[in-house]
Amino acid sequence: MYFNGLYHLFYQYNPKGSVWGNIVWAHSVSKDLINWQALEPAIEATKPFDIKGCWSGSATILPGNKPVILYTGVDKHNRQVQDYAVPTNLSDPYLRSWVKPSKGNPFIDPDRSVNASAFRDPTTAWFVNGEWHTVVGSKRDMVGVAYLYTSKDFKKWVRAKEPLHSARGTGMWECPDFYPVSPTGRRGLDTSALGKEVKHVFKVSLDLTRFDYYTIGVYDKEKEKYVPDLGSVDSWAGLRYDYGNFYASKSFFDYKKHRRVLWGWANESDGEARDKDKGWAGIQLIPRKVWLDPSGKQLLQWPIKELEMLRSPDPRKLNSKVLKHGRHVEVDGITGAQADVEVTFSFRSLDRGADLPAQDVCHQKGSTVPGGLGPFGLLTVASEKLEEFTPVMFRVFKKGGKHVVLFCSDATRKTFACLVKLLLRHRELKILLL
């Protein structure tokens, strides 16, 4: 959340080791979303209603500029209940200390009709029709469910007669996110914003696939239902924020810059033993600005502008290079261990674009199998003789008679032709054009 001049990032953390367990809400603050200062945990398992874990949730800023954390606690009976916490001292700009009042906690206690072992991750609340609303992810057998709760005072919550949304065959809905997007332009909207032309995004993290999926649709505030647009697929075949390692994402409205910012988490591919050796498991990814595509059918996203402040004052430039199959041209002079690359590819023709199912291309073809137009792109962390590298690549294919660009990566570290390569050796990062 953004509050009184600072961005606050709360995240799931085990202070006792780099394996899952002993979960608390870690807390870091930043003025620019790039440089972060770690503080003491905001929430720890200390009460009967969260004694076995403080799991995911969200933050809501109430009228009077009062932030509230909503989170899932695991109680002494291993039931997942919804709890809240408030700052101990609002005059502290860092909000270092939070209190979990015994009165009113848990604020949502699952009744017998709810699966208490699959009932978690309350969303940022929104205000409509004189009431606050929040959603909690759950499942009924293989039906994914977003239970809707309402409150007039943010204290007493009542479950709506029907879920905000549900879908068969999807399994558990973790970390739901529900927010409005403007039909035009790139400005973000407050979570409670409504309007005749305003669209809504509903995103879930599917526990069965470990990917994030979203639909775009309409929020009927009178019926308290979300309805995906026709063609916005509500299943494993639906749209994803990211076709790589990206899960448990959460967005927030940045009041400072009037944008919707998306955070994602990546569970690294190395095993538990390696996690113990290095001392961490999982990373927070670069935050992204998201907005609605002019077609109204999908979201667009881009790394936040602040990322550019990390760039060196003397960028390395290379212009008008022809990429020939099997050839490469080295770009030297990049001495950092990291590089922020802007690259533009142009083609005489896109006639070679092939008809392929978008979600299967990266997995099926990787970086080694040519097809249609591609793959082409970047090779990162490459060894000198290219025994190992990680490609970040593009493919152009046809879908519904139109050309579509797919952006993906390949962790199998195999050579492929016609690429731009980032070559890391002797602490110097070099770029090669293939």
Side-chain angles (χ1 to χ4, degrees):
M1 68 176 181
Y2 179 74
F3 181 76
N4 285 358
L6 289 174
Y7 294 99
H8 294 256
L9 173 64
F10 304 96
Y11 49 99
Q12 298 281 273
Y13 177 62
N14 178 4
K16 298 181 180 180
S18 54
V19 296
W20 194 90
N22 310 302
I23 298 299
V24 304
W25 271 47
H27 183 195
S28 294
V29 295
S30 172
K31 294 181 179 179
D32 54 22
L33 289 172
I34 299 296
N35 301 288
W36 292 88
Q37 176 184 349
L39 305 176
E40 56 269 28
I43 305 174
E44 298 180 272
T46 59
K47 296 292 185 74
F49 49 77
D50 67 6
I51 195 62
K52 293 193 175 182
C54 304
W55 291 4
S56 292
S58 60
T60 301
I61 299 178
L62 300 180
N65 208 28
K66 298 178 180 180
V68 179
I69 285 175
L70 307 181
Y71 71 100
T72 297
V74 183
D75 69 13
K76 59 184 180 180
H77 303 296
N78 282 316
R79 299 183 316 135
Q80 295 169 21
V81 299
Q82 312 315 312
D83 304 324
Y84 79 97
V86 294
T88 303
N89 180 12
L90 278 173
S91 64
D92 174 15
Y94 290 89
L95 300 179
R96 292 178 178 88
S97 175
W98 293 73
V99 61
K100 304 172 296 185
S102 296
K103 183 178 180 180
N105 266 319
F107 73 92
I108 297 177
D109 201 337
D111 59 34
R112 292 183 177 180
S113 66
V114 174
N115 182 352
S117 66
F119 180 65
R120 51 188 178 267
D121 312 334
T123 65
T124 296
W126 70 95
F127 191 78
V128 63
N129 296 336
E131 292 184 316
W132 289 98
H133 299 63
T134 190
V135 160
V136 181
S138 187
K139 69 173 181 176
R140 293 195 300 258
D141 296 324
M142 280 295 291
V143 177
V145 180
Y147 286 116
L148 176 65
Y149 290 82
T150 64
S151 174
K152 293 183 178 180
D153 57 6
F154 220 86
K155 296 178 181 178
K156 183 179 180 181
W157 293 81
V158 178
R159 196 177 92 188
K161 293 181 180 179
E162 298 290 337
L164 177 73
H165 191 47
S166 62
R168 296 181 180 277
T170 56
M172 177 65 195
W173 283 0
E174 294 191 308
C175 304
D177 201 8
F178 185 60
Y179 57 90
V181 286
S182 173
T184 59
R186 299 186 178 189
R187 286 172 67 90
L189 298 177
D190 178 86
T191 307
S192 297
L194 295 172
K196 188 176 180 180
E197 302 297 327
V198 169
K199 290 286 188 178
H200 273 75
V201 175
F202 181 73
K203 166 257 152 184
V204 292
S205 301
L206 293 190
D207 190 32
L208 290 175
T209 66
R210 309 303 287 179
F211 294 124
D212 282 11
Y213 301 81
Y214 73 90
T215 56
I216 295 172
V218 175
Y219 172 48
D220 187 330
K221 68 176 183 178
E222 303 304 327
K223 295 181 180 180
E224 300 286 17
K225 298 289 287 186
Y226 166 75
V227 181
D229 288 345
L230 184 65
S232 196
V233 180
D234 210 358
S235 70
W236 299 357
L239 291 170
R240 284 160 49 182
Y241 282 143
D242 193 301
Y243 290 83
N245 195 344
F246 188 91
Y247 193 69
S249 62
K250 183 72 178 73
S251 73
F252 74 98
F253 177 60
D254 181 356
Y255 295 86
K256 180 181 180 182
K257 296 195 173 182
H258 301 283
R259 60 186 173 179
R260 173 68 52 172
V261 176
L262 174 69
W263 286 92
W265 167 75
N267 184 16
E268 297 158 290
S269 57
D270 45 10
E272 185 175 296
R274 177 63 181 139
D275 290 338
K276 291 180 179 178
D277 289 341
K278 69 187 180 185
W280 78 83
I283 57 173
Q284 298 293 339
L285 302 173
I286 293 170
R288 313 170 183 193
K289 177 181 176 179
V290 294
W291 65 96
L292 186 64
D293 182 81
S295 70
K297 296 181 179 180
Q298 66 181 40
L299 294 175
L300 298 178
Q301 53 188 302
W302 197 255
I304 56 169
K305 185 72 173 177
E306 289 89 334
L307 188 66
E308 296 179 9
M309 71 173 62
L310 297 178
R311 294 177 175 177
S312 66
D314 183 26
R316 186 73 174 94
K317 296 182 180 181
L318 191 69
N319 298 312
S320 303
K321 292 295 179 181
V322 177
L323 300 183
K324 295 182 179 181
H325 186 83
R327 302 288 185 88
H328 65 264
V329 177
E330 182 172 336
V331 184
D332 56 13
I334 299 177
T335 58
Q338 301 180 45
D340 190 2
V341 181
E342 289 189 359
V343 58
T344 301
F345 299 97
S346 59
F347 309 90
R348 292 190 181 95
S349 172
L350 296 178
D351 291 342
R352 289 184 295 165
D355 287 304
L356 292 170
Q359 295 188 31
D360 299 330
V361 174
C362 291
H363 174 70
Q364 292 180 355
K365 292 187 175 295
S367 60
T368 61
V369 180
L373 186 56
F376 59 92
L378 309 172
L379 289 187
T380 66
V381 289
S383 61
E384 185 171 356
K385 294 183 179 180
L386 301 185
E387 299 94 343
E388 291 190 0
F389 54 78
T390 302
V392 180
M393 59 195 172
F394 301 88
R395 287 182 180 270
V396 180
F397 58 95
K398 292 178 181 177
K399 186 176 182 181
K402 297 181 179 180
H403 287 96
V404 181
V405 179
L406 187 66
F407 181 35
C408 47
S409 62
D410 180 11
T412 59
R413 301 181 181 271
K414 294 181 180 179
T415 306
F416 65 110
C418 219
L419 293 168
V420 182
K421 296 190 294 187
L422 302 182
L423 181 60
L424 180 62
R425 62 186 181 195
H426 307 302
R427 298 184 180 179
E428 188 175 78
L429 186 65
K430 295 187 178 183
I431 297 179
L432 286 84
L433 302 183
L434 285 188

